[in-house]
Amino acid sequence: GTLSLTHAQTLQHCFADPNVYIKHVQGNRNDGSNVPVSYSSKHKLAYVMLPKSGSSTARYMLKDKFHASETSLNLQPGSFRKGGHMAGVEVISFVR
């Protein structure tokens, strides 16, 4: 069957429990301030790379279709507040 959802609506139903995946999303400093991502400033989209979850394919697609580059970003909650450097950025990931 099919669902009548937009791509954005579909993503709103996806959830990864941060308590389960904490070691993957904390970054190199273990506080969320240095997380490896593929980032598209044009589309305000950050993809958090989780090992063994198809991240190579996802990184390729983001680079090819969204002009993303690989970098490390601060994903602490304060970064997403109004005026923060990540305000308005959508963060996605894939979990197998």
Side-chain angles (χ1 to χ4, degrees):
T2 60
L3 298 174
S4 58
L5 298 174
T6 67
H7 293 287
Q9 289 169 328
T10 302
L11 288 173
Q12 290 173 340
H13 292 277
C14 299
F15 175 76
D17 185 340
N19 295 313
V20 174
Y21 299 100
I22 192 73
K23 295 291 184 192
H24 294 291
V25 298
Q26 284 183 334
N28 297 332
R29 295 186 188 157
N30 293 326
D31 64 359
S33 66
N34 193 31
V35 179
V37 298
S38 285
Y39 179 65
S40 170
S41 58
K42 177 181 179 182
H43 297 282
K44 297 187 77 78
L45 182 66
Y47 166 68
V48 177
M49 299 175 256
L50 299 180
K52 309 309 291 175
S53 65
S55 60
S56 297
T57 302
R59 287 193 323 263
Y60 172 80
M61 292 303 298
L62 268 97
K63 181 178 180 182
D64 187 54
K65 302 295 182 187
F66 295 93
H67 312 288
S69 59
E70 293 184 25
T71 187
S72 291
L73 294 175
N74 181 345
L75 300 183
Q76 293 175 321
S79 303
F80 294 92
R81 292 189 185 109
K82 187 176 180 178
H85 74 281
M86 295 293 286
V89 173
E90 295 293 333
V91 179
I92 63 169
S93 192
F94 304 113
V95 179
R96 281 191 194 181

